[in-house]
Amino acid sequence: MKLIRLILIILLVLALVAGFGYLALQTGTITYSDGARTITTSPLIAVASLLLAVIILMVVIGFLGWLIALPAKISRANLENNRKKSIEYMGSAFAAFESGDYLESRRVAQKAYSLFPKSPTLQLMNARFSFAAEDYAAAEKLFGELTQVAGYEVAARKGLAEIAQKNSNFAAAISHADAALQVSKKATWPIEMIFKERVNNGDWEGALTTLDNAEKRGLIGKQTLARRRAVVLTAAAHRAEKAGELSKALEYSTRAVKLSSSFAPAAVMAARLQNMSGKTWAAASTIEQAWEREPHPALAIAYRDLKSDESKEAVARWAEALVRLKPEHRESKILQVEDAIAAGDAATAGAILDRLLQDRATSRLWALKAQVAQLLKDGVKFDEFMHKAAAAPREPDWSDLDPDGNAFAYEDEDWARMVESYGDKGQLIHPRLERLQPSKALKSVAEDVPPAIITAPDAEVTPPAVDGVEAFSHLGEDIEDSKKKNWLGI
């Protein structure tokens, strides 16, 4: 387009030059008379005068046009200068933010915003950096204004919801997230915020509703959705069981197992409640499915508890079903050790333990090794192994077993953390280990062990300052005489 315009201008100039040249080459004179006077000149002088007049007129018109356009040019120049400054300020503000200097980032962001106070982008940036600098009042005002700007409402609602969270205003945070959901069907943060707020406040039914909404919108992956539901349902079942609502607890825990059969807390609870309602084989099937996916010591104990009224030999035969499901797994090997100890087969138990201890020595394995020494009436080895048990690291999975109650007897805040850990990553947490709470005691199978065998008279037992030594304090008790309630409520 510019090239065509240039060609047209060149052609026009050439035409004018040609016209003026033609007139200048004409012979004769040009006479002008107004009645009072008469002016006579040659065509050349007339053409030159006309050309000069046109040039002067064009210069005057151009100068006037320049004067008229000058304010607009100055304004555009100032605007461009401010634009460059604002870009520099934005870069400096982000650099300060990334370096952790939030006060500086807010100060520089305010400079950028002052240059373009009507820019929603700079207003959003100023609000974000004010929030980072903990100036919640200024951030709330800026975010509040942006809720009326098209295209910025969802981002503004997020800022307001985060401010509500900082102020521990659960209802306001949910309200802003709900408002954002009405504007955007695909934004993920409102669902995440509502879900986490409900979970952190122990609103398990509300959390399930939120997950349903997320599923309809396609905002969460199927595996994550299933694991989250499993944890929330298990937490709801735990609360229902504590409240005496056993049918609801059974329903919730059974649903959780169907969603994630490898989630041991759900499987143990469902099996316990199924057994209490007379569905022993259903309880066994629940545990077997969970064990096949991911063995856990709580599952083994719950499985044995299904036959708690039978002999040790019958229980050992019953537990072999779990071993066959995962014969090479560490927990299956430990099951074999415990069954061998129960049968008085110290040689088999010791051989398996030696191989396990080579892979990873833990307090639980050393305690079992002490039971083998107890079977052999070897008090010196017993003391040695017990000292090692007290000093060795505890097993996270074993810490989930409460010596005085059910496995996985967590509080609401523990379940909330489990939602994040297992729901999002498929990893169990171990709150009892983190709080250094005692694990379930390993019971001795010895019938009559003289006190001298339990503690050698010449040995001064000084347990190290490692929690968990109390987990072995019940060694020496007869397993048949224990009156503690098992984890299936029997």
Side-chain angles (χ1 to χ4, degrees):
M1 183 63 70
K2 290 183 178 180
L3 181 61
I4 295 175
R5 187 184 303 169
L6 178 62
I7 293 173
L8 290 175
I9 291 174
I10 292 173
L11 292 175
L12 179 62
V13 170
L14 291 175
L16 289 173
V17 170
F20 281 121
Y22 173 77
L23 291 175
L25 294 175
Q26 298 300 312
T27 59
T29 60
I30 297 175
T31 302
Y32 170 78
S33 177
D34 59 358
R37 62 177 180 272
T38 301
I39 299 175
T40 302
T41 184
S42 66
L44 179 61
I45 294 175
V47 169
S49 300
L50 180 61
L51 181 60
L52 179 62
V54 170
I55 291 173
I56 292 173
L57 181 62
M58 290 179 64
V59 170
V60 171
I61 292 174
F63 179 72
L64 291 175
W66 178 81
L67 286 178
I68 294 172
L70 183 60
K73 289 183 178 180
I74 294 174
S75 177
R76 285 196 298 271
N78 288 335
L79 185 64
E80 178 64 17
N81 185 48
N82 288 341
R83 187 186 69 81
K84 292 180 179 179
K85 282 184 177 180
S86 68
I87 292 175
E88 292 178 1
Y89 285 146
M90 288 172 65
S92 299
F94 276 109
F97 177 81
E98 291 298 329
S99 65
D101 190 351
Y102 301 131
L103 292 176
E104 176 65 12
S105 68
R106 180 190 60 172
R107 185 185 70 81
V108 179
Q110 287 174 339
K111 281 188 176 182
Y113 182 53
S114 66
L115 296 174
F116 293 97
K118 293 184 179 180
S119 169
T121 301
L122 292 178
Q123 184 173 350
L124 178 62
M125 185 183 75
N126 192 21
R128 267 288 153 207
F129 292 156
S130 295
F131 176 82
E134 298 184 358
D135 186 356
Y136 300 135
E140 186 172 15
K141 179 177 181 298
L142 293 168
F143 281 131
E145 293 172 356
L146 284 171
T147 58
Q148 306 302 317
V149 180
Y152 288 83
E153 184 176 357
V154 176
R157 290 290 181 184
K158 183 180 181 181
L160 291 172
E162 290 173 346
I163 293 173
Q165 284 183 318
K166 290 290 184 181
N167 295 329
S168 300
N169 192 338
F170 168 72
I174 295 295
S175 175
H176 288 302
D178 279 334
L181 283 178
Q182 303 306 313
V183 178
S184 173
K185 302 299 182 184
K186 292 299 180 182
T188 58
W189 74 262
I191 285 288
E192 287 293 326
M193 179 171 288
I194 293 172
F195 177 70
K196 289 181 179 178
E197 282 294 319
R198 295 196 185 285
V199 165
N200 290 335
N201 286 274
D203 182 6
W204 308 123
E205 283 75 14
L208 289 172
T209 301
T210 304
L211 288 176
D212 292 340
N213 193 2
E215 184 179 24
K216 292 177 182 177
R217 294 169 180 258
L219 299 179
I220 302 179
K222 290 183 178 180
Q223 288 188 346
T224 301
L225 187 67
R227 288 196 301 262
R228 283 187 178 184
R229 273 202 180 110
V231 180
V232 173
L233 284 166
T234 306
H238 177 72
R239 176 180 293 173
E241 185 182 18
K242 289 175 66 176
E245 300 175 352
L246 299 185
S247 59
K248 180 184 288 188
L250 177 58
E251 176 195 349
Y252 284 160
S253 59
T254 303
R255 285 173 58 190
V257 169
K258 290 180 180 179
L259 289 166
S260 182
S261 60
S262 62
F263 188 45
V268 169
M269 181 178 294
R272 178 174 63 249
L273 296 170
Q274 286 169 338
N275 188 62
M276 291 172 63
S277 61
K279 300 176 181 178
T280 303
W281 287 106
S285 177
T286 297
I287 296 172
E288 288 167 359
Q289 290 178 19
W291 184 272
E292 191 170 14
R293 293 288 301 278
E294 189 62 43
H296 190 284
L299 294 170
I301 293 177
Y303 197 70
R304 282 174 170 153
D305 284 345
L306 294 176
K307 299 292 183 179
S308 59
D309 57 344
E310 298 188 17
S311 66
K312 289 188 292 184
E313 292 76 11
V315 173
R317 288 194 301 271
W318 171 253
E320 287 177 2
L322 294 184
V323 176
R324 288 194 296 270
L325 289 173
K326 283 279 188 176
E328 299 304 319
H329 196 276
R330 183 174 182 274
E331 286 298 329
S332 293
K333 299 295 184 182
I334 293 176
L335 259 180
Q336 291 177 316
V337 169
E338 292 170 344
D339 290 341
I341 292 175
D345 187 353
T348 300
I352 298 174
L353 280 172
D354 289 339
R355 291 193 295 271
L356 292 174
L357 284 166
Q358 288 178 358
D359 294 335
R360 179 164 60 101
T362 64
S363 57
R364 180 185 177 197
L365 293 181
W366 283 119
L368 288 169
K369 191 72 172 174
Q371 289 196 20
V372 174
Q374 189 174 348
L375 282 176
L376 298 173
K377 309 297 183 182
D378 189 339
V380 175
K381 286 293 185 182
F382 176 86
D383 288 341
E384 176 189 344
F385 296 150
M386 284 301 295
H387 276 288
K388 290 183 177 180
R394 296 171 63 186
E395 293 187 13
D397 284 351
W398 187 255
S399 71
D400 296 329
L401 283 57
D402 188 343
D404 299 315
N406 296 327
F408 309 107
Y410 298 153
E411 302 298 328
D412 282 352
E413 55 268 24
D414 299 325
W415 289 115
R417 291 177 51 226
M418 184 73 81
V419 169
E420 181 177 357
S421 179
Y422 186 83
D424 294 345
K425 306 170 187 176
Q427 299 175 354
L428 293 176
I429 61 171
H430 307 282
R432 292 182 55 78
L433 179 64
E434 297 166 7
R435 291 193 288 263
L436 301 180
Q437 292 176 298
S439 303
K440 183 175 176 64
L442 289 168
K443 303 290 184 60
S444 171
V445 297
E447 297 294 340
D448 295 300
V449 182
I453 298 298
I454 298 298
T455 303
D458 296 331
E460 182 179 353
V461 181
T462 307
V466 178
D467 182 74
V469 68
E470 62 267 42
F472 315 109
S473 60
H474 295 284
L475 281 168
E477 293 181 4
D478 191 314
I479 195 170
E480 297 293 337
D481 294 335
S482 175
K483 298 300 182 183
K484 285 188 178 179
K485 182 180 73 173
N486 63 39
W487 294 345
L488 289 176
I490 299 175

